[in-house]
């Protein structure tokens, strides 16, 4: 905290008050300390950038005039003298620290000060290793750090502030306003140039999300272009942060939810399907043996229909067969390698059930086995709950979903996903009373979803103004797209004909009342395939 003394604002570091010009300091026991001109200049330099390492040459420049014959050993003597005055032990320093081969740094922040990165979403820093570089490489490192931050910022939403703090302190120096993401940079010399090690972390926990080493100065970089390289590296690291956030939370939430939440941590809203697909394809090309990325890529293909299915089917497009083949290749190729990862295994089973065919029984058995052995219950229970009601065990499925919902944070994306699945199950068995209760909670949590869910699950004779307004503006192609969307993502998975019919009953009634029978789509490829499914419940 700043304190007043002799009309000037003194600044407290630890148990000592320093005058603004560093001519003197006062310890808490009342002892006054005075500093020489050289000591003042070194203190002002170090304290002006707490945590930054200053080389001996940099400190020498701060205390000497141009042409001075002072040597860098003079700095060592000066630092030792300052430590004695401050009562700072060189072996366990509290104020002036040393970095072997690099230089010296001031360890303390002013009492009551706020770190520069407080309130930012992303902090790039600390920046290490620059104190040991020659002036040319030091300038190259500084320029690269500035370029990197400028190129990283567009990868995050406009409300997600990205700052550069070369002296960023440890996360313990922050409170509730700590950044969400940290990217520290360490510069290292190599023959003919300069490398940078990037380490991205969940700032508040320290969990590593991404780490890589890249050449950032030298002949190779000069050919490629420094600006273009900074832009490419920033995009790549932002993608790795997104993937790291998603994979790191799959023990507590299903992968498809984790991917969406990771998008929200990066930007102001979830990535569009195409942007996520581009990021994942780049990662898969770079890391072909990373089966978590392959499972994420398969999940994202399905997400295409969740996010854009209404528009795709309204336009009369049908790439479902090709996309299912892509999901199948990615999942079956990765399945042998994710046997020891329950969360990824649950996601693989979920995707195999989605593409259907001969995989459904295997997928259900896989999830039932997982449910009996894994601690990754949130991921398993949600997926297993959906599988159970699709194969006819609706009440058992709802019990699993109830348990999954009890593990979800209220109003989280995970909870919303579970609530939406409950709507499917209750509509299939035509349980109007419980369905209305679940819809009421969903509309409380996500009011914007009401126009669509009223058409899918509401009461046709009591549609909300939102649904009525949407119907008034809707074209017959869009209405037909809704029916195909509901069939592809939900109805086709039910193995009992009555459940399939119930799941489409309300949207058919609402949309035929508005457009007539011509709104009904012709039998779809998957509808003909599902018609051959067994009609009896399967108990597991």
């Amino acid at each position: 905290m700043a304190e007043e003394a002799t009309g000037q604002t003194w600044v407290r570091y630890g148990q000592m008050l320093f005058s603004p010009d560093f001519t003197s300091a006062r310890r808490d026991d009342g002892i006054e300390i005075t500093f020489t001109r050289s000591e003042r200049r070194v203190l002002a330099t170090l304290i002006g950038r707490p945590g930054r390492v200053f080389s001996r040459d940099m400190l020498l420049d701060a205390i000497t005039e141009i042409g001075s014959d002072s040597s860098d050993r003079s700095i060592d003597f000066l630092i030792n003298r300052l430590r004695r005055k401050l009562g700072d032990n060189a072996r366990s320093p509290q104020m002036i620290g040393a970095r072997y081969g690099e230089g010296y740094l001031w360890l303390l922040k002013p009492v009551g000060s706020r770190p520069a990165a407080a309130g930012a979403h992303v902090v790039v820093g600390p920046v290490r290793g620059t104190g040991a570089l020659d002036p040319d490489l030091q300038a190259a490192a500084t320029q690269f750090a500035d370029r990197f931050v400028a190129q990283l910022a567009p990868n995050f939403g406009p409300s997600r502030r990205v700052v550069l703090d070369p002296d960023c302190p440890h996360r313990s120096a922050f409170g509730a306003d700590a950044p969400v993401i940290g990217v520290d940079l360490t510069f290292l010399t190599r023959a003919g140039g300069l490398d940078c090690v990037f380490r991205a972390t969940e700032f508040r926990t320290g969990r590593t999300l991404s780490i890589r080493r890249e050449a950032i100065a030298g002949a190779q970089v000069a050919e490629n272009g420094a600006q273009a390289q900074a832009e490419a590296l920033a995009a790549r690291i932002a993608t790795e942060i997104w993937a790291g956030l998603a994979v790191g939370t799959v023990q507590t939430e299903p992968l498809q939810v984790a991917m969406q939440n990771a998008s929200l941590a990066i930007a102001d809203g979830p990535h569009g399907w195409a942007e996520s697909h581009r990021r994942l394809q780049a990662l898969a090309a770079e890391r072909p043996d990373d089966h978590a990325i392959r499972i994420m890529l398969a999940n994202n293909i399905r997400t295409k229909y969740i996010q854009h299915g209404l528009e795709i089917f309204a336009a009369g497009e049908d790439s479902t067969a090709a996309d299912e083949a892509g999901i199948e290749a990615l999942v079956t190729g990765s399945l042998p390698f994710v046997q020891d990862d329950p969360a990824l295994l649950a996601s693989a089973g979920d995707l195999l059930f989605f593409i259907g065919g001969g995989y459904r029984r295997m997928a259900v058995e896989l999830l039932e086995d997982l449910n009996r052995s894994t601690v990754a219950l949130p991921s398993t229970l949600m997926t297993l709950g959906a599988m159970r009601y699709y194969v006819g065990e609706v009440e058992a499925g709802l019990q699993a979903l109830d348990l999954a919902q009890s593990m979800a944070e209220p109003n989280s994306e995970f909870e919303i996903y579970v609530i939406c699945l409950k709507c499917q199950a209750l509509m299939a068995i035509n349980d109007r009373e419980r369905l209305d209760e679940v819809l009421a909670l969903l509309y409380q949590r996500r009011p914007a979803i009401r126009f669509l869910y009223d058409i899918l699950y509401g009461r046709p004779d009591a549609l909300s103004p939102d649904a009525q307004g949407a119907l008034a503006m809707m074209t017959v192609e869009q209405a037909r797209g809704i029916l195909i969307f509901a069939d592809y993502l939900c109805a086709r998975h039910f193995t009992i004909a009555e459940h399939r019919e119930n799941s489409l009953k309300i949207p058919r009634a609402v949309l035929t009342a508005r457009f007539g029978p011509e709104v009904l789509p012709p039998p779809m490829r998957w509808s003909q395939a599902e018609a051959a499914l067994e009609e009896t419940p399967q108990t597991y």
Side-chain angles (χ1 to χ4, degrees):
M1 139 189 333
E3 299 190 18
E4 295 294 323
T6 63
Q8 291 183 306
T9 301
W10 289 43
V11 182
R12 175 176 289 280
Y13 292 88
Q15 297 181 343
M16 194 169 293
L17 283 169
F18 290 83
S19 64
D21 58 1
F22 298 105
T23 56
S24 63
R26 183 187 306 120
R27 296 193 333 207
D28 283 351
D29 59 10
I31 294 177
E32 296 265 355
I33 303 168
T34 59
F35 302 107
T36 67
R37 183 177 66 175
S38 294
E39 290 168 349
R40 292 199 304 269
R41 290 182 174 180
V42 167
L43 280 173
T45 301
L46 293 174
I47 291 176
R49 297 292 296 275
R52 177 180 179 180
V53 178
F54 289 87
S55 67
R56 290 181 176 86
D57 285 341
M58 295 166 73
L59 294 174
L60 197 61
D61 288 342
I63 67 170
T64 59
E65 304 297 334
I66 297 176
S68 168
D69 59 358
S70 297
S71 71
D72 61 0
R73 304 311 302 175
S74 303
I75 295 300
D76 294 334
F77 291 127
L78 188 56
I79 292 293
N80 287 335
R81 196 165 71 215
L82 273 171
R83 281 175 167 162
R84 285 195 298 272
K85 287 188 174 183
L86 297 171
D88 200 27
N89 189 329
R91 293 186 177 180
S92 56
Q94 301 298 310
M95 295 186 180
I96 300 177
R99 294 289 182 268
Y100 182 75
E102 294 190 46
Y104 297 99
L105 71 159
W106 186 256
L107 299 173
L108 297 177
K109 288 279 190 179
V111 175
S113 66
R114 189 169 184 253
H121 191 74
V122 181
V123 57
V124 177
V127 178
R128 303 184 179 97
T130 56
L133 303 177
D134 65 44
D136 288 343
L137 289 180
Q138 195 172 82
T142 300
Q143 290 170 3
F144 175 81
D146 289 338
R147 287 194 196 100
F148 177 74
V149 172
Q151 296 302 323
L152 187 64
N155 288 276
F156 294 79
S159 70
R160 302 291 202 256
R161 189 161 64 94
V162 179
V163 301
L164 173 64
D165 182 4
D167 310 316
C168 182
H170 186 266
R171 61 182 180 273
S172 60
F174 293 80
D177 57 358
V180 175
I181 306 295
V183 183
D184 57 67
L185 311 179
T186 302
F187 291 96
L188 304 165
T189 56
R190 59 174 172 79
L194 182 66
D195 286 0
C196 182
V197 176
F198 304 79
R199 186 175 73 103
T201 64
E202 275 185 311
F203 190 85
R204 297 171 188 181
T205 66
R207 182 172 73 88
T208 297
L209 302 171
S210 164
I211 187 164
R212 60 171 52 243
R213 178 171 177 163
E214 298 284 347
I216 59 99
Q220 177 185 355
V221 175
E223 292 172 6
N224 295 338
Q227 187 72 15
Q229 187 205 32
E231 182 177 1
L233 279 171
R236 189 176 306 158
I237 288 168
T239 296
E240 291 175 351
I241 289 170
W242 171 63
L245 286 169
V247 173
T249 60
V250 292
Q251 299 299 326
T252 57
E253 57 191 14
L255 182 59
Q256 60 268 42
V257 179
M259 290 170 65
Q260 181 165 341
N261 284 335
S263 296
L264 293 170
I266 294 289
D268 292 315
H271 292 147
W273 172 82
E275 171 63 14
S276 296
H277 201 67
R278 181 190 66 77
R279 289 174 181 259
L280 286 166
Q281 283 187 314
L283 281 177
E286 186 175 309
R287 292 147 50 177
D289 296 327
D290 190 331
H291 295 282
I293 296 299
R294 294 172 66 83
I295 296 293
M296 290 175 70
L297 187 54
N299 250 299
N300 196 61
I301 295 174
R302 177 175 58 180
T303 299
K304 166 182 166 183
Y305 293 97
I306 296 172
Q307 288 187 353
H308 303 293
L310 292 173
E311 303 94 79
I312 291 171
F313 295 130
E317 300 172 10
D318 183 9
S319 57
T320 55
D323 285 333
E324 288 167 18
I327 292 172
E328 180 180 16
L330 289 164
V331 174
T332 55
S334 297
L335 197 57
F337 303 98
V338 298
Q339 296 296 311
D340 295 329
D341 190 320
L344 291 177
L345 195 57
S347 184
D350 183 27
L351 290 163
L352 289 176
F353 191 94
F354 175 77
I355 62 177
Y359 290 113
R360 282 191 171 164
R361 181 175 291 276
M362 179 183 77
V364 176
E365 290 175 350
L366 187 156
L367 264 294
E368 292 287 0
D369 287 343
L370 272 178
N371 186 53
R372 288 188 286 266
S373 61
T374 185
V375 295
L377 286 175
S379 300
T380 305
L381 284 169
M382 189 187 85
T383 303
L384 180 60
M387 287 185 185
R388 282 177 173 171
Y389 68 67
Y390 281 138
V391 300
E393 293 290 325
V394 178
E395 291 300 335
L398 285 166
Q399 288 174 11
L401 293 176
D402 283 340
L403 191 51
Q405 186 176 355
S406 72
M407 296 179 175
E409 287 290 326
N411 206 32
S412 65
E413 294 302 318
F414 181 18
E415 187 200 39
I416 299 304
Y417 209 109
V418 172
I419 293 172
C420 291
L421 292 179
K422 283 185 172 183
C423 291
Q424 294 181 2
L426 293 168
M427 189 68 253
I429 59 175
N430 203 22
D431 189 333
R432 189 74 251 176
E433 183 177 353
R434 282 195 287 174
L435 178 57
D436 285 344
E437 291 177 2
V438 172
L439 286 171
L441 178 61
L442 178 62
Y443 298 157
Q444 178 187 342
R445 299 277 202 253
R446 296 289 189 276
I449 206 172
R450 181 158 193 164
F451 86 92
L452 177 61
Y453 268 58
D454 257 11
I455 293 172
L456 295 176
Y457 303 112
R459 293 178 179 270
D461 58 349
L463 293 177
S464 67
D466 289 339
Q468 293 178 33
L471 283 170
M473 300 290 291
M474 195 177 293
T475 65
V476 68
E477 291 80 15
Q478 290 170 331
R480 188 176 298 120
I482 289 175
L483 290 171
I484 300 172
F485 172 85
D487 190 12
Y488 185 66
L489 289 178
C490 175
R492 72 184 181 100
H493 299 300
F494 286 103
T495 60
I496 296 178
E498 181 185 357
H499 293 171
R500 287 200 299 275
E501 288 301 313
N502 283 344
S503 69
L504 292 173
K505 179 173 61 176
I506 289 177
R508 281 175 176 165
V510 170
L511 295 172
T512 53
R514 166 72 173 86
F515 295 100
E518 65 271 19
V519 75
L520 297 175
M524 304 302 293
R525 169 190 64 82
W526 57 83
S527 301
Q528 298 166 12
E530 304 306 330
L533 289 172
E534 188 175 342
E535 296 273 325
T536 56
Q538 302 175 41
T539 303
Y540 294 88

